[in-house]
Amino acid sequence: MIISKPCTTMKGVIVQPYSWDKEVTVDLKKTAECLKEKGYQVKSVIPKMMAIAVIDGYETSIYPSGKVIVKELTNIEVGKEIAKKIIECAGLSELLED
């Protein structure tokens, strides 16, 4: 499942994948490569810390915990759709099934 909410510290949306069964971890390097292959711009990758990509025109921060912050976005549903693309690239598609 994924949980989303407005960011309280800046204009944006936070989306977090969650599993009852296992710890969610994202390989940032692998995920960034997948996003590049799909035509998205990857601005930077700091291994085990954060990746920054531009997806559908929004700068997006991706963390090893799976948390995604879509900056300058207020529409939670659009934030979920952007996060789904990242979650799929991270190989965590099973978390999208409710």
Side-chain angles (χ1 to χ4, degrees):
M1 92 172 84
I2 57 175
I3 301 164
S4 61
K5 63 182 182 175
C7 184
T8 57
T9 58
M10 67 178 184
K11 185 177 177 184
V13 172
I14 298 173
V15 184
Q16 178 77 47
Y18 181 78
S19 171
W20 293 102
D21 302 323
K22 67 176 186 172
E23 181 180 354
V24 176
T25 56
V26 172
D27 180 329
L28 296 175
K29 187 174 179 183
K30 181 183 105 176
T31 302
E33 287 301 318
C34 175
L35 290 170
K36 282 183 190 176
E37 288 172 8
K38 292 184 179 239
Y40 299 109
Q41 178 189 7
V42 176
K43 288 186 164 186
S44 66
V45 178
I46 304 168
K48 298 184 181 180
M49 191 172 182
M50 173 171 61
I52 299 173
V54 178
I55 301 173
D56 298 342
Y58 293 98
E59 187 171 283
T60 306
S61 299
I62 308 159
Y63 297 90
S65 65
K67 179 167 72 171
V68 173
I69 299 176
V70 185
K71 298 174 186 163
E72 300 297 320
L73 180 67
T74 56
N75 186 317
I76 290 175
E77 291 306 314
V78 173
K80 282 183 181 180
E81 291 305 312
I82 290 171
K84 285 178 182 179
K85 294 172 185 177
I86 296 165
I87 291 166
E88 288 170 357
C89 271
L92 299 170
S93 296
E94 71 275 5
L95 299 179
L96 299 174
E97 300 167 8
D98 291 327

